[in-house]
Amino acid sequence: MIELEDVSHSYGGGELLSGISLKLEPGSFHFLTGPSGAGKSTLLKLCYAELTPSRGRVRLFGAELGGMDRDAVARTRRRIGVVHQDCQFLDHLPLSENISLPLLAAGRDVAAEAGNLKELMAWVGLEAQAGSLPPQLSGGERQRAALARAVIMAPDVILADEPTGNVDWEMSLRILQLLIELNRMGKAILVATHDLNLIRAAKAHVAARVLRIKGRQLLLAGADL
Amino acid sequence: MRRLPALGDAFAGDPGADRIVPPSGFTARLTQFTAAAMAFLAVFALALSLAAGRLADHWGEALARTATVRISAPEGQMATQTDAVLAVLATTPGIAGARLIPEDEQRALLAPWFGPDLPVESLPLPRLVEITETAEGMDAEALRLRLSGEAPGAVLDDHTRWRRPLVEAAGRLRLLGWLSIGLIGATMAAMIALSANAALAANARVIEVLRLVGARDTFIARAFVRRFTRRALEGAAIGTAAGMVAVAVLPGDGAGPGVLTGLGFRGLDWLLPLALPLIAAGVAFGATRLTAMRVLKGIT
């Protein structure tokens, strides 16, 4: 579904990632770890075409990123759910409208999908917060809402950038559980995190591959993870 | 033609899509005020252009169809030369009619300068013959040659010398009016483009989020285009209404051909300013769309 082949990315004259190859298949679960500033977020951005590689090839659902126009990139992003650490909500819209934003952007009838939206909000435990504005929510609620927005289009791939970065351990496990449920539905999951305890907790429930960015290269993590 | 449905969308509205861009009171008022002011000025430019056009047509028509023969002859030859002139004119192709202006009418023409009791008969005044031309017109040079032979004291004045600059001036005034309307439209487009640019910059985060969730450029642009088009339409409607009222209450009898006394709309001309709000909306639509698409190309 998403394939990076010998990809490098340069920023500000220096190479941040070098010779990265990665393939996300249906039903796969990957963790991406490494120290802060190693390039985890950059690698995720390459996966959903917010960044383009300075070298190498990125294929999204069989199509070369280099040959895609802006509309094609937009349509492809509807098949990729992204959860950011800072959630990226529109603060002037109630939570329910933020979560249904991908439907609106795709030209779908939001009113007709009100039932699905309600079900989704119940799944992430935010039914009562539907009318709240994003700044009124706690960190954990915002992360779960971001996850709900990421999956509302029933994407094939979920990319999560430090989804538990701002929440306590109990909430981290709850978000992890939601990601595992999505993976069991056949979604490909890629989670960038520096939380090794979260990775260990996940490996107790799912066959996850752990990748580490070290020295601009992508390596398979050791057996300790 | 692909833009027409989008222009329709701008008026139809989409409450859901409208809400994705946060409300911005200041730019809204600025855009409305700009559109209102420009529409107000455009009404006057239109009135000026139409009045100048009427003046140019009026003078041009008079220039093309009338001429005067002035006969200045010694007292004993005046009647003979007058008869000779009338005879020449009667046989000149292109002349529909020739009328010897009676003395009382001449007196009336001179009355504003010399008073009503002017003894015309005691003054050595020239006799005047008014000529009305046919649609084909006459050959003025040929007529001058014939008159110099038959009536040496007759001088043909086909009004060209003094009427033509006036007609040209009126024509240029009309052009200036239309040029002003064009400049007003271009200025409005520039100001709305600047406002749209500011709105897009202020909402960079909204745009990033929308791109992230898979929104196409046209969807994002439409949210801004719809808002600016509506504001321009509302503002221009207010400005046009105010401009029409101002033109309607301008002093003047409205019947004369002068620019000042004739500035205004006549008959169906009153329908023309009603197109200004729609034109303003179209200008806002184009300016905002171009700006939005240009800005969006810089955002991944």
Side-chain angles (χ1 to χ4, degrees):
Chain A
M1 290 193 287
I2 293 180
E3 193 175 351
L4 278 63
E5 189 181 317
D6 196 23
V7 163
S8 297
H9 182 73
S10 298
Y11 179 76
E15 201 167 59
L16 191 58
L17 295 173
S18 179
I20 302 283
S21 292
L22 173 67
K23 196 182 268 189
L24 300 182
E25 299 285 7
S28 64
F29 201 125
H30 289 83
F31 280 104
L32 180 63
T33 187
S36 293
K40 299 190 294 290
S41 297
T42 301
L43 182 53
L44 257 62
K45 286 177 179 176
L46 286 164
C47 288
Y48 65 87
E50 185 171 338
L51 294 175
T52 51
S54 46
R55 194 161 50 82
R57 300 165 73 181
V58 174
R59 269 189 293 275
L60 303 176
F61 304 101
E64 289 284 344
L65 177 59
M68 294 166 82
D69 61 17
R70 291 176 62 78
D71 281 355
V73 168
R75 280 192 295 271
T76 301
R77 282 180 182 166
R78 294 171 194 167
R79 300 180 66 183
I80 304 171
V82 181
V83 181
H84 279 270
Q85 187 176 2
D86 63 357
C87 299
Q88 300 213 352
F89 288 125
L90 302 184
D91 288 346
H92 65 287
L93 292 182
L95 194 61
S96 58
E97 288 187 43
N98 264 291
I99 291 173
S100 59
L101 204 55
L103 297 173
L104 190 67
R108 304 247 296 256
D109 186 351
V110 176
E113 307 209 30
N116 290 338
L117 176 65
K118 198 172 173 186
E119 206 173 301
L120 183 60
M121 294 196 72
W123 178 65
V124 293
L126 292 172
E127 266 181 310
Q129 284 79 14
S132 303
L133 294 174
Q136 297 170 324
L137 302 177
S138 69
E141 288 170 336
R142 287 166 64 85
Q143 287 295 343
R144 281 181 283 144
L147 186 59
R149 188 182 66 185
V151 300
I152 197 164
M153 291 289 286
D156 301 305
V157 181
I158 311 290
L159 306 176
D161 190 2
E162 300 283 4
T164 59
N166 294 324
V167 298
D168 58 29
W169 177 242
E170 191 183 345
M171 187 54 66
S172 295
L173 288 178
R174 191 163 174 193
I175 290 168
L176 176 65
Q177 191 54 44
L178 293 172
L179 288 167
I180 290 171
E181 281 181 42
L182 288 166
N183 180 244
R184 285 176 181 156
M185 293 175 198
K187 315 289 184 193
I189 311 283
L190 173 61
V191 180
T193 181
H194 62 267
D195 187 346
L196 301 184
N197 288 329
L198 185 78
I199 297 172
R200 291 190 187 104
K203 289 188 83 171
H205 299 94
V206 66
R209 290 183 78 202
V210 184
L211 308 168
R212 188 196 303 270
I213 297 178
K214 190 176 180 184
R216 296 176 291 155
Q217 308 278 322
L218 189 64
L219 309 169
L220 196 60
D224 57 324
L225 291 173
Chain B
M1 290 300 286
R2 284 184 62 200
R3 284 194 174 179
L4 287 177
L7 182 59
D9 286 351
F11 295 110
D14 179 346
D18 277 355
R19 283 167 49 79
I20 60 173
V21 181
S24 50
F26 178 69
T27 55
R29 283 193 294 274
L30 192 68
T31 308
Q32 273 178 335
F33 173 76
T34 301
M38 292 297 158
F40 186 82
L41 293 175
V43 170
F44 278 93
L46 186 61
L48 175 71
S49 191
L50 291 173
R54 282 194 296 269
L55 196 62
D57 291 344
H58 178 80
W59 282 343
E61 198 176 332
L63 170 67
R65 292 181 51 203
T66 65
T68 307
V69 175
R70 189 177 70 248
I71 307 158
S72 302
E75 198 174 329
Q77 295 177 23
M78 183 63 88
T80 312
Q81 289 205 22
T82 301
D83 290 342
V85 165
L86 290 171
V88 167
L89 294 176
T91 57
T92 301
I95 291 181
R99 183 177 74 92
L100 179 65
I101 296 179
E103 283 184 356
D104 55 343
E105 200 173 318
Q106 269 190 254
R107 190 183 292 116
L109 286 172
L110 294 171
W113 284 273
F114 298 104
D117 302 325
L118 178 70
V120 173
E121 61 285 351
S122 65
L123 292 172
L125 289 177
R127 296 305 308 271
L128 299 175
V129 179
E130 187 183 71
I131 299 170
T132 306
E133 296 178 42
T134 61
E136 292 77 30
M138 63 179 182
D139 181 344
E141 286 310 307
L143 180 58
R144 279 197 182 92
L145 282 173
R146 287 186 67 195
L147 287 173
S148 64
E150 302 289 332
V155 176
L156 174 67
D157 178 1
D158 61 0
H159 306 170
T160 305
R161 200 175 44 205
W162 64 276
R163 287 275 194 174
R164 181 163 291 155
L166 290 177
V167 172
E168 284 175 1
R172 283 179 190 163
L173 200 58
R174 171 164 51 181
L175 193 65
L176 197 64
W178 287 113
L179 186 67
S180 300
I181 292 171
L183 280 174
I184 287 166
T187 306
M188 188 171 78
M191 294 184 80
I192 287 174
L194 283 172
S195 287
N197 208 43
L200 286 157
N203 289 292
R205 183 180 156 79
V206 172
I207 293 168
E208 281 171 22
V209 172
L210 290 169
R211 283 291 301 173
L212 175 74
V213 300
R216 295 164 62 204
D217 286 349
T218 46
F219 173 84
I220 301 168
R222 205 178 299 141
F224 289 91
V225 167
R226 189 182 290 115
R227 184 169 291 194
F228 277 86
T229 303
R230 279 188 182 173
R231 288 172 186 170
L233 180 69
E234 290 163 5
I238 294 166
T240 299
M244 289 174 75
V245 169
V247 167
V249 299
L250 272 178
D253 58 13
V259 172
L260 288 177
T261 55
L263 187 64
F265 302 109
R266 304 236 180 106
L268 292 176
D269 285 355
W270 281 102
L271 295 176
L272 289 176
L274 299 180
L276 289 174
L278 292 177
I279 293 169
V283 167
F285 175 85
T288 314
R289 187 181 167 92
L290 281 174
T291 306
M293 295 306 274
R294 184 178 55 76
V295 170
L296 288 170
K297 278 195 168 37
I299 298 171
T300 55

